[in-house]
Amino acid sequence: MSSSSSSKRKVLRIIKQDSESTPEVSAPAKSRRPVRGSHLPLRQRRALKGSDLPEPVEEPVARVDKAAGPAADQSRRRGRPKAGPQTHPPRSGQGARHEEGVERKLRSGRDAARRHPVRGDKEREQRRPQPARKAAAGPQHFFVAGPRGLEQELARELAELGTEAVEAGSGGVRFTGEIAQAWKINLWSRLAIRVLQQVAHGHYKNEDDLYRAARELPWPEWFPLGRTIAVTTVAHRCPLKSLNFASLKIKDAVCDRFRDLTGARPDVDARTPDVPILLYLTEDSYTLYLDLTGEPLNRRGYRVQAAKAPLNENLAAGMLRLAGWTPKMPLLDPMMGGGTILLEAVLMALNIAPGLRRHFAFENLNSFDRVEWARLRKNAQAEQKEKRALPIYGCDIDPRMVHATETNLRAAGLLECVTLREADALEVEAPARVGVIVSNPPYGVRLEHEDMAAFYQGLGDNLKRRFAGWNAYLLSADVELAKHIGLKASRRTPLFNGPLECRLYEYRIVSGQMRRPRAPA
C-alpha cells in the first residue's frame, strides 16, 4: 500500500512540474472592428468563414479632433456608408442635397408607377375625367321627320338641297350622307320638323335590353360632359307598359356610360336640353337618335304674335308646294289669320333660308364644325334676293288678325313685300285676273261659327262669281266644307295639322263649269 501511494505522489509531482514549466498563453485582445463579414447575410458569412483568404490587416483607428469641425466628421462617416437609403435626417449642411435626392427618388417612383401601375390604378385612371373625343367623320344615317301627308314633297325638297339616297317613309324621309348635309337641311328645309341622326338600332324584349344596348354606345364621343340631356320616347304598337320608364332607362344608361369613362355624369334638363335624345320603339325593335334640331323647325323665329288657331309653318309651306305656286303667280289668302301662309310665301319668293334666325342642337355636339357652319350661313345670306313688293295679298274680316299679320311681317322685316287689308272672304274681289288661293278657312274644331254650312256656301258662291280662272286650295278638317261649298274638288290630299287630320281640297274655278249641286239643307 505504501509503495502504491508513493508512486501516485510521484506521478502528481511530475504533472505539477510540467504544468509550471509550460509558459502561459494569454488570450488575444478583442478587435475594435466588427468581425469580418458580420454585415453580410448568414449564407455569405458561412461561405466567407470557410474561405482561405487571409484576415485583413487591422488598421489603426484615426482619432478625430473635435476642433476639426463637421467636415472631418463627415469624411469619417463617408468612409463607411450604410447600405440602403438613409432615413435619418441629414446633418451639418447636407439639407439641400438630401432634398434633391429624396425628390429624385420620389420622381422615379412616380414614373415607375405610371409605367407599371399597381392593381386598381387602371380603374382609378378610367374614372378620372377625360377630355371629349372628336366624333368620327363619314357617312351617317339620318331621319328627317315631317308632317304626315307631305313625305313625298319633303323627299323632293331634300333632293333639291343636294341630298342623295333619299327614301320617303311614314312620317318622314331617310337618307345617308355627311353630317354637314344634315346641318344644311336644318338651315334650308321649309317642310321638315326635325333632323335625327341614328346612333343605334336593334331588337329588344324589355327595358333591360334597352339599357344594355344604350350603355354600350360611346356617348362621350358624341357630346362633352358639360351638356345637358333629355330623353323622349315615341312608340308604335309598343308592348312596354310605360314609355316614361323606357326613357328613364336610356337616361340611366347614358349617365352610367359617362361615369364609367369620365368619372362624372351629365345633367338632365327636361325643357331645353343641349342634347335631346329620341328613342323610337316598335313592336320588337328600337332605334336611338341624336336630335340635331332641338326646337322643331317650324319655329322659325319670325312669328311673334299668333292667331287663335295658328297653322304650322311647315304645313303652310307644304300647302304652297302642293298648290304648285311660284313667286311669279299672284297669291291670295282671304282668311289669313296670323299670316303664316303669307310669311312662308315671302320667304320662298326671296329665297330666305328659314333657319337663319335660330340655333340648333347640333351646335352642342363634338361633330360640330364652326367654320363649315359659318360657310353655310354665309352662302345662304348671299343667295337672298332683294326685298321688293310681291304679288302676295292677304285679308281677314277680324281687324285683330290684320294687326297680328302686320306685326309678324314687320318683325321679319318683310311688311313691304305684302299687301294687306281688312275684308270679308265672302265678298273680297280678286286682286288679279288669274292666280292661286291658298287658305285655312275656319271650321268647327278650329273656330266657333254660328252656321258653318252657310259660311261654306257663301265662300263657294264668291269664288265662283269673282275668281274664275283661279285655283283654290283650302285646308279643312270639317267634312261639311266638301258638302256645302258647291264646287267639285279635283283633288283631296290628306294632311295633318298637328294631331288633327285634315284634307287639302283643290278647286279649279272655271266660269260656268265645275259646279256641283248643293246638298239639301
Side-chain angles (χ1 to χ4, degrees):
M1 294 293 293
S2 59
S3 62
S4 60
S5 59
S6 60
S7 62
K8 290 180 180 179
R9 284 194 292 270
K10 288 181 181 180
V11 171
L12 291 174
R13 193 181 303 115
I14 293 171
I15 294 173
K16 184 177 180 181
Q17 291 176 356
D18 292 340
S19 62
E20 290 177 353
S21 60
T22 304
E24 183 177 358
V25 180
S26 60
K30 292 184 178 181
S31 174
R32 296 184 182 180
R33 298 191 60 168
V35 178
R36 184 167 68 102
S38 61
H39 66 286
L40 298 175
L42 179 60
R43 181 179 300 175
Q44 297 185 14
R45 289 204 304 271
R46 288 176 179 174
L48 183 62
K49 187 177 294 184
S51 65
D52 297 333
L53 295 177
E55 290 286 337
V57 179
E58 183 178 355
E59 297 180 358
V61 179
R63 305 183 69 181
V64 179
D65 188 0
K66 293 183 179 180
D73 186 53
Q74 291 297 326
S75 64
R76 179 178 66 85
R77 290 191 181 95
R78 285 196 298 270
R80 295 178 58 201
K82 293 184 178 181
Q86 298 184 9
T87 57
H88 57 76
R91 303 179 187 177
S92 307
Q94 298 297 320
R97 277 178 289 180
H98 174 77
E99 292 176 359
E100 292 176 1
V102 171
E103 179 63 26
R104 283 195 300 270
K105 292 173 183 177
L106 292 176
R107 188 163 53 247
S108 63
R110 288 193 297 266
D111 295 340
R114 292 192 188 99
R115 292 191 299 269
H116 307 286
V118 297
R119 185 177 183 180
D121 283 356
K122 187 174 182 180
E123 297 177 359
R124 287 194 293 270
E125 187 71 18
Q126 290 178 349
R127 290 196 298 268
R128 187 176 302 166
Q130 303 291 333
R133 291 181 288 179
K134 198 74 171 178
Q140 305 290 327
H141 298 287
F142 301 94
F143 182 79
V144 183
R148 284 185 291 171
L150 290 174
E151 292 90 349
Q152 296 298 329
E153 286 296 328
L154 177 58
R156 280 189 281 270
E157 181 192 46
L158 298 188
E160 294 170 2
L161 293 175
T163 308
E164 299 179 355
V166 176
E167 179 184 354
S170 176
V173 174
R174 299 184 180 277
F175 78 94
T176 302
E178 301 293 334
I179 187 67
Q181 185 63 27
W183 305 342
K184 186 177 181 180
I185 294 172
N186 276 283
L187 179 63
W188 277 103
S189 179
R190 307 181 191 278
L191 306 184
I193 298 176
R194 61 182 69 251
V195 182
L196 307 172
Q197 179 184 356
Q198 178 179 321
V199 295
H201 176 75
H203 295 278
Y204 76 101
K205 292 183 179 179
N206 50 45
E207 293 85 354
D208 292 336
D209 294 339
L210 298 174
Y211 172 83
R212 286 189 291 268
R215 185 163 182 173
E216 293 177 357
L217 298 176
W219 298 101
E221 293 185 10
W222 296 327
F223 59 92
L225 178 62
R227 305 301 187 188
T228 59
I229 65 171
V231 181
T232 303
T233 300
V234 179
H236 177 67
R237 301 177 62 184
C238 173
L240 300 181
K241 296 181 179 179
S242 173
L243 298 184
N244 289 335
F245 186 59
S247 299
L248 180 64
K249 296 295 286 186
I250 298 299
K251 184 268 296 180
D252 290 344
V254 175
C255 293
D256 291 346
R257 181 64 170 174
F258 263 95
R259 190 182 287 109
D260 292 342
L261 298 180
T262 68
R265 49 157 287 176
D267 293 329
V268 175
D269 185 350
R271 292 188 175 182
T272 56
D274 298 325
V275 182
I277 301 170
L278 189 139
L279 170 66
Y280 179 69
L281 298 175
T282 62
E283 188 174 1
D284 61 350
S285 67
Y286 71 89
T287 309
L288 272 169
Y289 297 97
L290 288 175
D291 185 351
L292 304 182
T293 301
E295 288 193 5
L297 289 174
N298 60 284
R299 300 179 185 178
R300 320 278 203 218
Y302 293 97
R303 185 166 62 185
V304 295
Q305 187 171 351
K308 183 177 180 180
L311 185 69
N312 284 340
E313 288 86 343
N314 46 19
L315 180 57
M319 293 168 59
L320 290 169
R321 288 183 64 99
L322 289 173
W325 176 79
T326 62
K328 295 181 179 181
M329 298 180 182
L331 174 67
L332 171 65
D333 184 356
M335 297 158 281
M336 63 184 181
T340 303
I341 294 176
L342 303 178
L343 183 54
E344 289 299 311
V346 175
L347 295 178
M348 294 171 66
L350 299 182
N351 200 33
I352 297 175
L356 272 177
R357 286 197 172 191
R358 53 164 294 171
H359 291 279
F360 301 94
F362 63 74
E363 299 178 41
N364 299 314
L365 300 179
N366 294 337
S367 58
F368 179 59
D369 187 340
R370 295 182 181 276
V371 176
E372 177 64 18
W373 178 237
R375 185 187 69 82
L376 290 173
R377 287 177 54 86
K378 185 176 180 180
N379 291 343
Q381 293 170 349
E383 294 177 11
Q384 291 184 14
K385 298 179 181 179
E386 293 184 2
K387 299 176 184 178
R388 64 187 188 278
L390 299 169
I392 299 176
Y393 308 90
C395 62
D396 201 283
I397 194 173
D398 189 347
R400 294 173 299 179
M401 293 298 96
V402 177
H403 176 72
T405 302
E406 289 178 348
T407 302
N408 292 332
L409 288 169
R410 184 180 293 109
L414 303 173
L415 181 59
E416 61 189 80
C417 303
V418 182
T419 302
L420 304 177
R421 65 190 180 106
E422 181 182 339
D424 188 352
L426 305 184
E427 298 180 357
V428 67
E429 295 185 358
R433 187 176 62 85
V434 294
V436 177
I437 294 175
V438 180
S439 189
N440 180 29
Y443 37 87
V445 177
R446 177 182 169 215
L447 293 174
E448 295 295 334
H449 199 281
E450 295 181 357
D451 188 356
M452 296 304 298
F455 172 77
Y456 288 136
Q457 180 179 337
L459 179 61
D461 289 341
N462 191 44
L463 293 177
K464 180 66 177 178
R465 184 170 59 250
R466 296 188 172 96
F467 288 87
W470 284 60
N471 293 337
Y473 296 84
L474 305 179
L475 181 71
S476 179
D478 194 340
V479 295
E480 296 298 319
L481 172 64
K483 292 181 180 179
H484 298 285
I485 198 169
L487 299 174
K488 183 179 179 180
S490 56
R491 185 173 62 172
R492 297 176 177 86
T493 304
L495 297 176
F496 284 80
N497 186 11
L500 190 61
E501 185 176 0
C502 304
R503 294 290 186 275
L504 181 64
Y505 296 93
E506 178 189 67
Y507 298 102
R508 299 184 181 274
I509 307 169
V510 180
S511 178
Q513 299 178 13
M514 305 294 290
R515 191 77 177 180
R516 60 178 293 179
R518 293 194 180 96

